């Protein structure tokens, strides 16, 4: 008889873990509290024809994502058409804008135009970033991180200096570039890692390579196509999905999980993989069986939450790209509001995704699909009045860029999403959007463990454990845990 595994949550790490565990020969059941797969990467379609991706919109590190499908004998092309965006994105400053081209040689010319010698410096930066990407994404991030001894391999040890694990990202970037705009451009990807560039290891320059060199992509039909494709893989492996099934408790006998409880009904399993919020999962356990107490979670540095708006505009907006970063204000001031002052920013930075520029199917004809995102501190109070205030701010700056007037009057669909929604929909600690920040003190072995130290058959996956936040790392996280649970159940 097959051993049974329950996977809690159907985000990218849950879909990945379920697929690999089923491939290994286990009977796998996925329990999802919402009515569709995807977690933060869900999609909703409005009655008037807008298709909004709710979460991730940057398709970076395509080789890592492709690797998941290759493990199951197929490719992303079997499920969706992937477009390489050109330009990749646009970055708006107070006095000019940078348009980031698809072609790397064009990017070099742009750097050289802004700062003499910066083209050669970009080559040096990216050569190092490529090496980090090769070691980091192919070796470093695939460890379960039980112990530092896992990294005592010749390739990793010999790479220690080249990986720049100790130096911080900001100082590292400043060694290559003097121009403030170029520095902001190179620091931008670090926002996804959830901390100031001053607190992120220079190792993560690998993200610049994974984005700017490998390119920024878009799956036609929206980012949710990746969720559907991964669910299809899981379906083909025999995974069974149970939607609208929130877990009430995890039951333990003699230091082993015996069952989960849903609406008074107990379901028995041989092991559990929790892809749900780590802190929330631990609340489903008796206190003595939790890995970490409240003091631990309150002492962690979390990646930001977000104010998001999904907006349908009944008019084509000229001069707006698929991805646009509004960096007219000071990055450090915004970051301080998130991590130091923990308040709403006075002069925010924000991001706009307009997928209808690439994909006519995500909006009605002659209309635009806008996804507006502003990073904010976790745990802060949000209400409709505050949300609307910042919507007005963001729309005003879009109007200034595009020359379009009275955007607010042209809205035919609007929905906001913020701290309280992340808490309600995903049980996210403090309403965080991206998990734990990838600071040096929260890297590898110093992240929350993928196994429960007091319960033999309970494992954790996702952005709050190794390797960290982001879509590709979450997919890798699922595979790591599936491998570990295979070792456990086969013993």
């Amino acid at each position: 008889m097959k051993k049974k595994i329950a996977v809690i949550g159907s985000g990218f790490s849950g879909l990945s873990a379920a697929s690999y565990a089923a491939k290994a020969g286990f009977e796998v059941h996925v329990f999802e509290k919402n009515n569709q797969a995807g977690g933060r990467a869900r999609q909703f379609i409005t009655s008037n024809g807008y298709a909004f991706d709710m979460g991730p919109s940057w398709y970076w590190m395509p080789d890592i994502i492709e690797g998941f499908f290759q493990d199951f004998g197929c490719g992303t092309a079997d499920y969706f058409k992937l477009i390489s965006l050109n330009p990749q994105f646009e970055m708006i400053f107070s006095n000019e804008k940078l348009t980031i081209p698809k072609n790397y040689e064009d990017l070099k010319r742009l750097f050289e135009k802004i700062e003499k010698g910066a083209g050669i410096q970009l080559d040096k930066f990216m050569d190092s970033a490529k090496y980090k990407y090769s070691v980091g994404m192919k070796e470093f991030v695939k460890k379960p991180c039980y112990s530092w001894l896992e990294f005592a391999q010749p390739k990793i040890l010999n790479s220690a200096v080249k990986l720049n694990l100790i130096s911080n990202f900001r100082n590292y970037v400043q060694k290559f570039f003097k121009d403030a705009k170029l520095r902001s451009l190179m620091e931008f990807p670090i926002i996804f890692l959830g901390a100031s560039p001053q607190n992120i290891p220079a190792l993560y320059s690998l993200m610049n390579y994974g984005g700017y060199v490998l390119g920024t992509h878009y799956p036609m039909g929206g980012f949710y196509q990746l969720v559907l494709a991964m669910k299809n893989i899981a379906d083909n492996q025999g995974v069974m999905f149970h939607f609208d099934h929130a877990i009430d408790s995890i039951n333990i006998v003699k230091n082993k999980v015996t069952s989960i409880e849903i609406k008074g009904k107990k379901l028995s399993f041989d092991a559990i993989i929790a892809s749900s919020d780590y802190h929330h999962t631990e609340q489903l356990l008796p206190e003595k069986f939790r890995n970490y107490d409240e003091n631990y979670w309150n002492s962690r540095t979390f990646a930001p939450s977000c104010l998001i708006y999904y907006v349908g505009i009944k008019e084509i907006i000229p001069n707006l790209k698929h991805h646009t970063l509004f960096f007219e204000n000071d990055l450090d001031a915004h970051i301080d509001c998130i991590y130091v002052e923990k308040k709403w920013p006075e002069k925010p930075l924000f991001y706009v995704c307009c997928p209808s520029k690439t994909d006519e199917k995500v909006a009605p004809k002659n209309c635009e699909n806008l996804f507006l995102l502003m990073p904010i501190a976790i745990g802060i109070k949000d209400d409709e009045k505050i949300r609307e205030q910042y919507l007005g701010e963001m729309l005003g700056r879009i109007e200034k860029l595009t020359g379009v007037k009275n955007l607010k009057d042209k809205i035919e669909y609007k929905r906001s999403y913020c701290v309280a929604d992340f808490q309600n929909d995903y049980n996210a600690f403090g309403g965080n959007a991206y998990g734990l920040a990838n600071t040096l003190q929260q890297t590898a072995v110093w992240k929350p463990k993928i196994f429960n130290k007091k319960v033999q058959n309970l494992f954790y996956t996702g952005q709050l454990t190794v390797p960290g936040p982001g879509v590709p790392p979450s997919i890798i996280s699922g595979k790591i845990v599936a491998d570990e649970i295979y070792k456990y159940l086969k013993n």
Side-chain angles (χ1 to χ4, degrees), residues 299-476:
S299 70
R300 298 301 89 187
T301 300
F302 275 82
S305 186
C306 295
L307 168 61
I308 299 172
Y309 264 95
Y310 312 100
V311 181
I313 301 289
K314 53 184 177 183
E315 183 179 296
I316 295 296
I317 303 175
N319 306 317
L320 188 65
K321 301 296 188 287
H322 188 118
H323 295 299
T324 308
L325 300 164
F326 286 81
F327 269 54
E328 306 101 310
N329 298 323
D330 183 61
L331 172 62
D332 287 341
H334 190 131
I335 287 174
D336 283 347
C337 288
I338 295 173
Y339 296 108
V340 180
E341 300 175 64
K342 298 184 188 293
K343 68 176 186 178
W344 287 87
E346 294 177 12
K347 295 182 177 180
L349 283 62
F350 70 100
Y351 154 67
V352 178
C353 180
C354 186
S356 47
K357 293 298 184 186
T358 303
D359 188 352
E360 63 181 16
K361 293 183 179 179
V362 299
K365 189 174 181 179
N366 295 322
C367 296
E368 299 283 27
N369 175 319
L370 297 184
F371 170 94
L372 284 64
L373 182 150
M374 187 180 79
I376 57 174
I378 68 167
I380 60 175
K381 179 183 177 182
D382 80 271
D383 56 39
E384 203 58 37
K385 183 179 179 181
I386 294 174
R387 297 183 187 194
E388 284 292 307
Q389 172 191 330
Y390 283 96
L391 174 62
E393 161 94 10
M394 291 187 281
L395 291 178
R397 286 158 66 180
I398 295 171
E399 290 173 354
K400 182 178 178 181
L401 170 69
T402 63
V404 175
K405 304 296 183 184
N406 304 316
L407 272 177
K408 207 160 192 176
D409 296 336
K410 297 165 184 175
I411 293 175
E412 64 173 351
Y413 180 85
K414 178 180 67 175
R415 176 182 174 185
S416 63
Y417 204 91
C418 201
V419 173
D421 301 295
F422 281 104
Q423 291 171 323
N424 292 334
D425 287 356
Y426 311 123
N427 300 305
F429 184 85
N432 80 83
Y434 302 106
L436 283 177
N438 267 352
T439 61
L440 181 59
Q441 295 79 15
Q442 294 179 170
T443 295
V445 174
W446 292 322
K447 284 188 180 292
K449 299 298 183 186
I450 64 168
F451 65 96
N452 188 292
K453 293 175 278 189
K454 304 164 187 174
V455 181
Q456 296 178 25
N457 53 346
L458 173 58
F459 295 78
Y460 307 85
T461 186
Q463 59 185 9
L464 284 169
T465 183
V466 295
V471 174
S474 290
I475 293 173
I476 292 170

Side-chain angles (χ1 to χ4, degrees), residues 135-201:
V135 176
M137 296 306 295
K138 306 296 168 65
E139 305 281 342
F140 198 85
V141 302
K142 295 185 177 180
K143 308 297 182 185
C145 296
Y146 296 146
S147 163
W148 288 113
L149 292 176
E150 295 167 29
F151 300 93
Q153 297 178 359
K155 186 172 183 179
I156 294 177
L157 290 175
N158 293 336
S159 303
V161 175
K162 289 184 178 180
L163 291 176
N164 297 115
L165 289 167
I166 305 301
S167 55
N168 75 64
F169 194 85
R170 169 153 293 171
N171 289 344
Y172 183 75
V173 168
Q174 289 177 353
K175 292 178 181 179
F176 292 88
F177 310 106
K178 296 182 176 67
D179 184 83
K181 295 184 294 297
L182 294 184
R183 289 178 179 178
S184 291
L185 174 62
M186 302 309 281
E187 289 181 355
F188 146 66
I190 299 307
I191 293 174
F192 291 122
L193 299 178
S196 166
Q198 295 167 303
N199 296 320
I200 292 288

Side-chain angles (χ1 to χ4, degrees), residues 54-286:
M54 295 187 69
S57 57
W58 291 84
Y59 196 111
W60 277 1
M61 303 184 183
D63 56 325
I64 303 299
I65 297 173
E66 194 69 37
F68 169 82
F69 291 90
Q70 290 173 353
D71 284 345
F72 295 91
C74 58
T76 54
D78 295 314
Y79 293 96
F80 52 81
K81 182 179 180 180
L82 194 63
I83 301 295
S84 182
L85 297 179
N86 190 26
Q88 297 191 46
F89 60 91
E90 204 159 65
M91 201 165 193
I92 310 303
F93 295 97
S94 59
N95 55 354
E96 66 177 300
K97 62 184 178 182
L98 295 184
T99 302
I100 309 305
K102 168 184 172 181
N103 181 273
Y104 179 72
E105 290 302 316
D106 291 338
L107 183 63
K108 274 180 63 178
R109 281 189 281 273
L110 174 65
F111 270 61
E112 189 65 31
K113 181 180 178 182
I114 294 170
E115 178 184 317
K116 186 174 177 57
I120 294 173
Q121 289 295 93
L122 182 64
D123 273 341
K124 293 178 181 177
F125 185 98
M126 287 303 182
D127 284 346
S128 178
K130 180 179 181 180
Y131 181 83
K132 291 170 192 163
Y133 188 85
S134 174
V135 176
M137 296 306 295
K138 306 296 168 65
E139 305 281 342
F140 198 85
V141 302
K142 295 185 177 180
K143 308 297 182 185
C145 296
Y146 296 146
S147 163
W148 288 113
L149 292 176
E150 295 167 29
F151 300 93
Q153 297 178 359
K155 186 172 183 179
I156 294 177
L157 290 175
N158 293 336
S159 303
V161 175
K162 289 184 178 180
L163 291 176
N164 297 115
L165 289 167
I166 305 301
S167 55
N168 75 64
F169 194 85
R170 169 153 293 171
N171 289 344
Y172 183 75
V173 168
Q174 289 177 353
K175 292 178 181 179
F176 292 88
F177 310 106
K178 296 182 176 67
D179 184 83
K181 295 184 294 297
L182 294 184
R183 289 178 179 178
S184 291
L185 174 62
M186 302 309 281
E187 289 181 355
F188 146 66
I190 299 307
I191 293 174
F192 291 122
L193 299 178
S196 166
Q198 295 167 303
N199 296 320
I200 292 288
L203 163 70
Y204 290 104
S205 63
L206 63 85
M207 289 189 66
N208 297 88
Y209 177 81
Y212 299 170
V213 178
L214 297 184
T216 302
H217 301 78
Y218 172 78
M220 295 298 285
F223 212 98
Y224 194 63
Q225 296 305 310
L226 177 57
V227 173
L228 294 177
M230 291 182 67
K231 183 180 181 298
N232 189 277
I233 294 286
D235 289 335
N236 291 341
Q237 299 303 312
V239 174
M240 286 160 272
F241 287 84
H242 310 272
F243 297 109
D244 295 308
H245 277 63
I247 309 299
D248 296 321
S249 66
I250 298 173
N251 302 313
I252 298 169
V253 176
K254 295 181 179 178
N255 295 345
K256 290 185 73 174
V257 172
T258 56
S259 63
I260 57 175
E261 191 163 331
I262 303 172
K263 298 176 182 177
K265 185 177 181 180
K266 290 184 178 180
L267 302 172
S268 299
F269 288 95
D270 296 293
I272 305 291
I273 298 175
S275 170
S276 45
D277 178 89
Y278 202 124
H279 172 267
H280 170 72
T281 302
E282 299 241 287
Q283 304 310 299
L284 303 176
L285 302 170

Side-chain angles (χ1 to χ4, degrees), residues 18-33:
S19 298
Y20 284 112
K23 182 183 179 184
F26 301 116
E27 179 182 323
V28 181
H29 294 257
V30 176
F31 296 90
E32 168 59 55
K33 70 168 291 194

